[in-house]
Amino acid sequence: MAAAPGGDFLAACRRQPVERTPVWFMRQAGRSLPEYRALRGSGSILDAIADPAIAAEVTMQPVRRYGVDAAILFSDIVVPVHAIGFGVDVVPGRGPVVAEPFTSSADLARLRDLDPEADLSHVIETVHRVLAELGPTPLIGFAGAPFTVASYLIEGGPSREFTKVKALMRADEGLWHQLMDRLVALSTTFLAAQINAGASAIQLFDSWAGSLSPKEYERFALPATKAIFEAVDGFGVPKILFGVGTGELLSQMATSGADVVGVDWRVPLDEARRRVGEGVALQGNLDPAVLFAPPSVIEEETLAVLDAAGIAPGHIFNLGHGVLPTTDPDRLAQVVDLVHTHGRAGV
Ligand code: CP3
């Protein structure tokens, strides 16, 4: 039986049987690809994202090279705040940097709503160009979850300890929730624009939610994630929620309204399944660092992930976090072949 167009990825999101386990990689488009480095040059990534010809080509590069089961739009979680002029740049090798971080209620006024036509026309145009080339392969749209976006706005850049974020949420919970509301609006509009343009699934990146305790997550982060999923639920596209180091939060993430919960490499998928229950699919979870080991080890570890996922429907193979920039693309190609050959049919 031939899979329906784009079938296996979307079927797995919905916990339906698949022909082959679907596979894609977070950061599959990016510096690990020589064709990306050749096209990108040295300008800001935000300029590359703003150019639909470049952004569409970069989105397509890993699909052509690897035959992955989904494309992910070439964009970034700070695109919405950049578009409304909050003053953010993405520094190569470092990440998003904010010139004037969010510190007080006066800064709420700097977070106006997005106007999709005026602020996101380049994103919409990129989606259209990608769809024209993509064929039946689904396109994943994405946004940052409010907690993770807020961490950049408040810390002013990448952080390990999140001291300013945690201080603000504790010192002024009212302001924190007002900030979350602004970021819910921005991410919802960003996702809706991508879905309206033709994205057939979405992923919310709450990359740094794992820095929170379960109690903190419940109070300060999960409500905003739920609000976004509720707002886009009517589109009927699968919704994926991902974070790093979220082993202790998985059961709560499964209550967010997500159809799929991403798992990093720290929790085996059979244990993750026990934590999330039967109501969601799982995505993950090969350690991206394993790709630097010899091919025999990569094979062993890839098969171990498939084994832990079991034969029940509802597994999308991915790495536990994004592709590291110095990864050899041939190793990713090896993983795609292994997953497509050995992934359980789920029937
Ligand atoms: O292929 C894909 O997955 C789509 C592209 C994508 C990018 N950013 C492009 C990008 C995605 C899904 C993102 C999301 C994103 N951006 C997240 C969530 C995912 C995660 O990693 O947890 C976060 C935290 C950001 C913020 C951000 N942008 C960081 C931390 C960095 C890395 C800085 C660096 O140079 O190491 C970026 C820049 C960025 N975004 C790059 C890419 C391909 C690399 C920089 C470049 O090519 O100029």
Side-chain angles (χ1 to χ4, degrees):
M1 190 183 72
D8 283 340
F9 170 76
L10 295 173
C13 289
R14 300 185 168 115
R15 288 173 297 125
Q16 294 162 355
V18 294
E19 296 246 303
R20 307 183 300 185
T21 300
V23 48
W24 69 280
F25 304 112
M26 292 179 277
R27 292 276 171 89
Q28 61 190 15
R31 281 174 298 184
S32 63
L33 292 179
E35 57 269 37
Y36 172 83
R37 296 193 298 268
L39 187 66
R40 265 276 278 120
S42 58
S44 165
I45 189 175
L46 293 171
D47 293 336
I49 289 168
D51 182 332
I54 293 179
E57 172 60 19
V58 170
T59 302
M60 290 304 301
Q61 285 175 342
V63 180
R64 288 191 209 113
R65 182 187 268 261
Y66 302 124
V68 279
D69 294 273
I72 180 159
L73 186 70
F74 184 69
S75 185
D76 199 88
I77 61 167
V78 297
V79 161
V81 283
H82 176 65
I84 60 167
F86 195 84
V88 55
D89 201 1
V90 178
V91 177
R94 180 142 188 252
V97 174
V98 173
E100 289 176 51
F102 185 101
T103 58
S104 72
S105 58
D107 294 312
L108 289 168
R110 297 163 61 202
L111 291 166
R112 68 160 172 86
D113 280 340
L114 274 169
D115 173 349
E117 313 231 311
D119 301 319
L120 298 176
S121 60
H122 59 288
V123 175
I124 294 163
E125 166 73 12
T126 301
V127 173
H128 288 155
R129 283 180 185 239
V130 169
L131 294 182
E133 264 196 71
L134 199 53
T137 305
L139 174 67
I140 303 170
F142 73 90
F147 172 77
T148 290
V149 176
S151 78
Y152 289 105
L153 301 189
I154 296 168
E155 299 288 339
S159 172
R160 288 168 68 91
E161 313 295 351
F162 301 98
T163 49
K164 294 184 178 125
V165 185
K166 291 184 182 183
L168 191 147
M169 69 173 52
R170 297 296 190 166
D172 192 343
E173 188 164 353
L175 176 59
W176 174 260
H177 288 298
Q178 283 180 292
L179 171 59
M180 290 294 99
D181 288 348
R182 298 310 309 135
L183 297 178
V184 166
L186 288 171
S187 286
T188 300
T189 305
F190 188 40
L191 291 170
Q194 295 171 68
I195 299 167
N196 279 325
S200 36
I202 51 126
Q203 177 157 324
L204 202 53
F205 282 94
D206 211 351
S207 303
W208 314 135
S211 66
L212 298 173
S213 72
K215 261 169 73 183
E216 289 173 323
Y217 182 67
E218 190 80 32
R219 182 156 158 188
F220 298 109
L222 182 59
T225 289
K226 280 185 175 164
I228 292 171
F229 282 150
E230 218 171 279
V232 298
D233 192 51
F235 289 106
V237 304
K239 306 180 287 299
I240 310 169
L241 177 60
F242 170 78
V244 183
T246 53
E248 300 304 324
L249 307 178
L250 289 173
S251 61
Q252 291 162 288
M253 291 167 74
T255 69
S256 63
D259 302 288
V260 184
V261 172
V263 184
D264 81 5
W265 61 92
R266 294 171 179 90
V267 181
L269 289 180
D270 47 357
E271 173 58 23
R273 172 57 69 199
R274 280 190 281 279
R275 295 184 188 187
V276 300
E278 298 300 323
V280 294
L282 289 174
Q283 177 171 277
N285 69 346
L286 185 69
D287 183 349
V290 163
L291 298 169
F292 295 82
S296 60
V297 175
I298 295 172
E299 173 163 351
E300 198 181 306
E301 294 295 327
T302 300
L303 297 181
V305 169
L306 290 171
D307 195 47
I311 55 166
H315 176 221
I316 298 137
F317 195 102
N318 206 314
L319 303 180
H321 197 185
V323 174
L324 296 163
T326 53
T327 305
D328 178 349
D330 290 346
R331 304 280 69 91
L332 287 167
Q334 180 196 351
V335 171
V336 172
D337 287 346
L338 283 165
V339 174
H340 280 163
T341 308
H342 298 280
R344 310 297 178 79
V347 286

